[in-house]
Amino acid sequence: MAAVRIWKFPALLFSRPDLIEQVLVSQAKNFTKHFGLRIYKPLLGEGLLISEGSLWRRQRKLSAPAFQASRLAKYAVTMVDSAQQMLGRWPGEMETDRGETRVRDVHVAMMRLTLEIACKTLFGADACPEPRVVGDAMHGAMEALMRRWRWAVPLPGWLPTLANWRLKKSLAALDGVITGLVESRRRGAAGDDLLWTLLEERDEEGSAMTQRQLVDEARTMLLAGFETTALALSYSLLLLAMNPVTQKKLQEELAAVVGGRAVGWSDLPRLEYTRKVIVESMRIYPPADVIGREAISDCMIGEVEVPKGMTIFVSLWAMHHDGRYFPEPEKFDPDRWTEAFEKQLPRFAYLPFGGGPRSCIGQSFATAEAVLLLATICQRLEFGVDPTFELELRPLITLRPEGGVRLQVTARALGLKGSVASAATAADGGAAGCGFS
């Protein structure tokens, strides 16, 4: 435990799993989301990530059905199909280009791919907004809000400053995209996606959600439903490029489990090493790298007195790189994730999806998506290090790669055998697993 100061706010940094468990689970009633997340309220409104109390409980309950295991098998078809379509559009996948190496920003590609999947699975949308428009608007809004709170005295949003102008421009662009998705879904046929559930739900008095509530939830869905998975995939591909032996082992698993056909939902239990690559990637580069809570009443956390108003931070980066729990913590080692290792690991030493009642509601969705997409991509492509690229991390709400993730990409094989729909069979078992909390 360490005492720190974030801007003008005193805070405590916890790095013991038992103390973290008390904050997130056993004493969760004594805490609310912290100021560092609340500064993004103009961006996320009262969506699931920020809302509290009865509103959060209602929204969490409404959202839960969309992430049931029974629906994930259907989503898997969309995930794999979207990945195959992306690969088919990439130059270098044509027969004449096989073996040719090209440099690509894989983070841009993963953002586009996961946004398309989020639109189809969570919004029931046939048409996806332009990823660059969404990404630029979100990034612009986050940067403007961060700059506002770096001032000694945060200025109100109505002042005609450059930061406020940029924020309003970014929010207007996002609202245009979100409103379009909501209105399109209103006019569409009934479905089992999350947005349709929110549109149809009525409270005890028979009232529907307001347009503002719908837009807030949809905006949160959009951020949580595509960016964190895109980050997990981008960092996984980077780490595979830096570790050719690991990449080769992943390719061998894919050859043994799926061969030349499309990856399917029923393959997930056997894609053990692919899952370990994702798990280890999120350890080294957690997509959301900080969890924060603010005490709403005086309490004791272990032997530490926590006064009302005190902020507690949990750095996932620090926890995931702690040698007490992860030997050689800077080493990318998917093989560390044996059954025995996972059993002895303290529960809150590894928490990429958070923990307790505010843990990520979409973690089964996100985990299954990441494994299916990584397997589909690595069937067809091989990745190498671009010597001109250097990773620069930019922590905002998520841990973003400033300037993208540029890698050398080489086509490995031609098309797959069989249809996606036939390969992604209906589920007959459990799910493999963010942003939603």
Side-chain angles (χ1 to χ4, degrees):
M1 191 274 291
V4 296
R5 181 172 291 273
I6 309 295
W7 299 320
K8 60 185 179 185
F9 300 96
L12 298 174
L13 180 66
F14 281 4
S15 57
R16 269 175 44 188
D18 60 321
L19 300 184
I20 295 169
E21 186 276 337
Q22 291 181 47
V23 173
L24 298 183
V25 183
S26 61
Q27 296 199 48
K29 67 180 185 301
N30 291 322
F31 295 91
T32 187
K33 290 296 184 82
H34 68 298
F35 71 89
L37 188 58
R38 293 199 300 270
I39 68 173
Y40 293 106
K41 193 168 184 176
L43 172 62
L44 300 174
E46 291 289 348
L48 194 59
L49 186 60
I50 289 183
S51 60
E52 298 283 354
S54 59
L55 175 61
W56 171 79
R57 287 189 291 272
R58 176 176 183 267
Q59 300 302 85
R60 176 97 177 189
K61 184 177 180 180
L62 290 177
S63 302
F67 299 102
Q68 291 174 349
S70 59
R71 296 189 181 184
L72 293 183
K74 178 181 176 181
Y75 294 158
V77 177
T78 300
M79 294 169 183
V80 175
D81 186 45
S82 296
Q84 288 191 345
Q85 290 178 25
M86 177 198 75
L87 294 171
R89 292 190 297 263
W90 276 22
E93 281 298 294
M94 304 302 292
E95 184 174 4
T96 54
D97 292 327
R98 186 190 299 185
E100 179 180 346
T101 298
R102 304 186 179 211
V103 174
R104 281 192 170 274
D105 185 340
V106 297
H107 183 56
V108 170
M110 295 305 102
M111 291 278 279
R112 180 180 294 274
L113 174 60
T114 55
L115 176 59
E116 177 181 321
I117 292 169
C119 287
K120 291 178 178 179
T121 58
L122 301 181
F123 290 82
D126 294 326
C128 183
E130 170 56 42
R132 192 169 296 278
V133 172
V134 176
D136 289 350
M138 283 188 169
H139 184 75
M142 291 179 190
E143 288 284 358
L145 289 167
M146 186 66 74
R147 281 193 294 269
R148 178 193 290 180
W149 279 85
R150 280 179 181 148
W151 295 330
V153 179
L155 300 179
W158 52 263
L159 280 179
T161 64
L162 180 59
N164 284 339
W165 176 82
R166 287 174 175 166
L167 175 60
K168 289 179 180 179
K169 182 180 178 182
S170 296
L171 292 179
L174 274 177
D175 273 348
V177 169
I178 298 299
T179 301
L181 288 169
V182 171
E183 293 308 311
S184 175
R185 196 66 193 92
R186 284 188 194 276
R187 298 189 298 268
D192 57 4
D193 54 275
L194 178 53
L195 185 54
W196 182 260
T197 301
L198 296 179
L199 282 165
E200 289 294 292
E201 187 65 25
R202 300 292 184 270
D203 60 22
E204 291 81 359
E205 300 176 355
S207 299
M209 291 179 65
T210 67
Q211 179 70 7
R212 184 70 260 166
Q213 286 174 314
L214 281 168
V215 170
D216 286 350
E217 287 300 340
R219 196 187 285 160
T220 300
M221 287 162 55
L222 198 63
L223 173 64
F226 86 98
E227 187 178 31
T228 50
T229 304
L231 289 168
L233 287 166
S234 299
Y235 292 136
S236 293
L237 293 174
L238 172 63
L239 289 164
L240 288 171
M242 296 169 63
N243 295 270
V245 173
T246 302
Q247 186 171 184
K248 181 66 174 177
K249 188 170 181 177
L250 173 62
Q251 292 167 354
E252 290 171 350
E253 176 178 84
L254 296 176
V257 173
V258 296
R261 63 170 172 79
V263 182
W265 170 262
S266 60
D267 295 316
L268 281 174
R270 295 185 295 156
L271 292 173
E272 296 179 4
Y273 194 72
T274 309
R275 181 192 68 84
K276 290 177 180 180
V277 168
I278 294 292
V279 170
E280 178 72 348
S281 170
M282 290 194 295
R283 182 190 70 81
I284 292 182
Y285 296 116
D289 63 318
V290 173
I291 296 174
R293 295 291 187 267
E294 182 179 307
I296 55 176
S297 59
D298 296 341
C299 58
M300 290 288 296
I301 301 298
E303 64 277 14
V304 181
E305 293 185 12
V306 179
K308 178 181 178 180
M310 176 64 72
T311 295
I312 291 177
F313 283 115
V314 176
S315 169
L316 274 63
W317 182 280
M319 291 297 301
H320 291 184
H321 290 79
D322 192 326
R324 292 175 296 177
Y325 313 117
F326 303 99
E328 297 184 90
E330 302 307 317
K331 180 182 179 181
F332 177 60
D333 182 17
D335 285 311
R336 77 170 77 240
W337 293 95
T338 63
E339 184 177 351
F341 175 78
E342 293 191 39
K343 282 184 177 179
Q344 61 82 37
L345 189 67
R347 182 181 172 193
F348 287 88
Y350 177 79
L351 57 166
F353 296 109
R358 297 300 295 253
S359 63
C360 175
I361 193 174
Q363 60 182 286
S364 294
F365 177 100
T367 302
E369 180 182 19
V371 172
L372 289 169
L373 295 185
L374 185 65
T376 301
I377 291 166
C378 289
Q379 271 186 308
R380 307 261 302 262
L381 301 175
E382 187 169 305
F383 297 88
V385 174
D386 174 10
T388 68
F389 172 72
E390 185 174 342
L391 179 65
E392 181 180 349
L393 298 174
R394 174 74 166 144
L396 290 169
I397 296 180
T398 55
L399 187 63
R400 293 178 157 206
E402 189 80 3
V405 177
R406 294 194 315 277
L407 298 177
Q408 293 182 349
V409 183
T410 307
R412 295 186 61 228
L414 293 177
L416 302 176
K417 301 174 183 177
S419 68
V420 176
S422 63
T425 55
D428 54 6
C434 184
F436 293 106
S437 59

